[in-house]
Amino acid sequence: MKLETIAVHGGYSPEPTTKAVAVPIYQTTSYAFDSTQHGADLFDLKVEGNIYTRIMNPTTAVLEQRVAEMEGGIAALGLSSGMAAINYAIQTIAESGDNIISTSSLYGGTYNLFAHTFPQMGIEVRFIDAPNYEEITKLVDDKTKAVFCESIGNPAGNVADLGKISELAHSKGIPVIVDNTVPTPYLCRPFEHGCDIVVHSLTKYMGGHGSNIGGVLVDSGNFPWAEHKSRFNRLNEPDPSYHGVVYTEALGPAAYIGRARVVPLRNTGSAISPMNSFMILQGIETLAVRMDRHCENALEVANYLTKHNKVDWVRYAGLSNHQDNQLLKKYCDDKAAGILSFGIKGGVKAGTKFIDALELITRLVNIGDAKSLACHPATTTHRQLSPEELAKAGVSDDLVRLSVGIEHIDDLLSDIEQALAKA
Ligand SMILES: *Cc1c(COP(=O)(O)O)cnc(C)c1O
């Protein structure tokens, strides 16, 4: 079935006991065993079934199955946040002494995890700048476990060359992990371009209403972990924390996502609550129609700003003059979601005045909400950075970031117009 249909029906049909049509919220910590033997078989992964909600839950299982189908993967793991998904995506295969390679244009939280927290835990992150993807093959050594990128970067809005990154990483036997939060599987499906693992912050467009934090890790099932026995030793050798199971033997192509569940999730516990899984499923049902409106509105706002005499520049990959517009056509159906940035004549002062004058568009730091949102990174998220660091992060002091929502375009443009007049 097509994505629009999977988003509404995937992973669930009315369950036999109550025939509930909406996905039930299984608000329970635990599940009864039929017998001690049944309990033992569940723990041995010999039979399928539920044990404890930190590790699995039937409401979350619908979310996992639905997102896996939307991405074209074999399985997924629902988690408490996008950051938890990114953390586990790496921790499933890397540990102290290992390294990963990442593009440097990243979500701020991911940048902090990679530049500070992982190094403190002994995992080195080697950054490359797009479009110098050839660097990947030079930076790989026998301790490299993954290449990481964002399909569309937040906040920069740049588009990654997923096909090229996959080709270069695979030539060295390394999997590619993609943060697909901004385009969502509605606009971009990284597995179709050779990528191996996808992570999402479900907090953004997937949930879509600014009401729930959640994340998910999705496995394509395509990476040949068993062919790289020494590099991916944790998947290929007996695991003492799970009574000697060898994941590639027990789970075949699902070795990675299986270990993500029974090692990082089971042992460090970033579980999503069943209520949040339910709320995010509600959001996913309308993803396709919302994304169409987000893209349509953002393009209109970008075109409006381009022509405005108080605006110096506009950055939106959906504009034909953007450096990544060809990549957007190739990977995202020429649609760039709702995030754009622009510069106001008059720098920080004018930027601040503009944001303060907004009446409909909300001042905050989030993206992907049905509501339109604005932020001025130089005075908020990036205010600690020096002018040199700001330049490196692609954040000039006149930069205003908009996450364009699904309101009527006339109301959005009139709010922007009156705020520009006051700036
Ligand atoms: C928000 C975001 C994250 C982090 O997700 P949380 O759900 O806030 O933990 C990761 N990547 C991108 C691209 C994001 O926009």
Side-chain angles (χ1 to χ4, degrees):
M1 282 186 283
K2 300 276 195 282
L3 181 132
E4 289 83 343
T5 315
I6 297 168
V8 177
H9 296 281
Y12 185 71
S13 48
E15 55 89 21
T17 312
T18 65
K19 314 271 185 201
V21 172
V23 177
I25 304 166
Y26 289 92
Q27 194 68 40
T28 182
T29 57
S30 327
Y31 309 85
F33 306 141
D34 298 337
S35 61
T36 45
Q37 185 60 50
H38 179 222
D41 289 345
L42 283 166
F43 273 92
D44 278 351
L45 308 175
K46 278 189 192 147
V47 295
E48 272 188 47
N50 299 306
I51 299 174
Y52 190 61
T53 284
R54 176 167 15 93
I55 318 168
M56 74 282 276
N57 174 278
T59 310
T60 300
V62 178
L63 174 67
E64 291 167 343
Q65 180 64 26
R66 189 167 298 181
V67 177
E69 286 179 26
M70 288 166 77
E71 285 287 359
I74 57 162
L77 182 65
L79 295 161
S80 60
S81 69
M83 290 316 304
I86 294 165
N87 185 27
Y88 288 3
I90 307 300
Q91 284 199 11
T92 297
I93 42 177
E95 61 194 38
S96 180
D98 291 338
N99 66 75
I100 63 165
I101 296 168
S102 176
T103 54
S104 57
S105 161
L106 293 168
Y107 170 69
T110 309
Y111 182 78
N112 276 332
L113 175 68
F114 286 6
H116 302 291
T117 306
F118 275 164
Q120 285 160 9
M121 294 163 59
I123 298 171
E124 182 198 344
V125 181
R126 303 175 173 180
F127 290 104
I128 57 159
D129 287 318
N132 303 329
Y133 298 120
E134 312 292 338
E135 290 276 302
I136 292 170
T137 47
K138 288 188 213 136
L139 291 174
V140 168
D141 63 22
D142 59 6
K143 290 289 186 186
T144 304
K145 300 298 168 94
V147 174
F148 186 95
C149 67
E150 293 181 3
S151 47
I152 296 183
N154 172 21
N158 56 308
V159 184
D161 193 338
L162 300 177
K164 190 163 195 177
I165 293 171
S166 300
E167 199 184 301
L168 291 166
H170 290 171
S171 75
K172 294 287 182 183
I174 313 286
V176 178
I177 302 172
V178 182
D179 183 336
N180 201 31
T181 299
V182 173
T184 79
Y186 180 59
L187 300 181
C188 176
R189 279 183 292 281
F191 298 156
E192 291 174 3
H193 309 292
C195 305
D196 305 284
I197 306 293
V198 157
V199 295
H200 280 282
S201 168
L202 298 172
T203 314
K204 313 296 170 54
Y205 291 110
M206 296 284 265
H209 298 77
S211 50
N212 297 277
I213 303 278
V216 72
L217 178 54
V218 193
D219 190 345
S220 68
N222 292 332
F223 192 81
W225 309 104
E227 282 175 25
H228 305 280
K229 282 210 156 45
S230 62
R231 191 182 297 277
F232 300 106
N233 56 325
R234 293 290 177 207
L235 297 175
N236 286 295
E237 289 168 9
D239 183 352
S241 88
Y242 215 88
H243 40 76
V245 72
V246 176
Y247 296 102
T248 48
E249 287 170 8
L251 303 173
Y256 172 92
I257 201 74
R259 184 170 200 267
R261 188 183 295 279
V262 302
V263 180
L265 177 58
R266 188 176 63 120
N267 298 344
T268 72
S270 299
I272 188 169
S273 83
M275 184 69 196
N276 276 18
S277 294
F278 170 80
M279 294 288 283
I280 291 166
L281 279 165
Q282 294 292 102
I284 287 175
E285 289 190 7
T286 58
L287 177 72
V289 287
R290 284 185 290 107
M291 287 307 278
D292 281 341
R293 179 66 74 83
H294 281 294
C295 294
E296 213 177 281
N297 277 356
L299 188 60
E300 283 221 36
V301 170
N303 282 323
Y304 169 86
L305 292 170
T306 303
K307 291 183 208 120
H308 202 287
N309 63 10
K310 285 203 178 171
V311 173
D312 258 338
W313 54 268
V314 181
R315 202 185 296 145
Y316 182 61
L319 293 174
S320 55
N321 66 0
H322 190 279
Q323 61 185 15
D324 293 340
N325 188 248
Q326 287 310 315
L327 292 172
L328 190 77
K329 288 195 165 90
K330 185 169 176 188
Y331 296 119
C332 305
D333 195 22
D334 201 18
K335 294 186 190 126
I339 298 148
L340 62 89
S341 50
F342 67 100
I344 299 188
K345 289 189 178 134
V348 186
K349 223 172 143 197
T352 311
K353 272 194 178 162
F354 170 80
I355 303 252
D356 285 342
L358 290 168
E359 287 167 5
L360 172 66
I361 299 175
T362 316
R363 288 170 287 273
L364 52 65
V365 286
N366 184 28
I367 59 162
D369 197 321
K371 300 170 270 302
S372 288
L373 320 168
C375 93
H376 186 226
T379 55
T380 56
T381 50
H382 292 66
R383 74 175 289 124
Q384 281 85 10
L385 272 62
S386 66
E388 298 77 45
E389 286 175 311
L390 281 173
K392 234 181 154 184
V395 176
S396 47
D397 61 12
D398 61 345
L399 185 149
V400 173
R401 185 186 71 182
L402 293 179
S403 172
V404 181
I406 62 173
E407 300 94 336
H408 197 288
I409 186 67
D410 293 353
D411 296 326
L412 294 177
L413 293 183
S414 66
D415 194 29
I416 292 169
E417 186 168 287
Q418 63 82 22
L420 278 172
K422 287 180 188 143

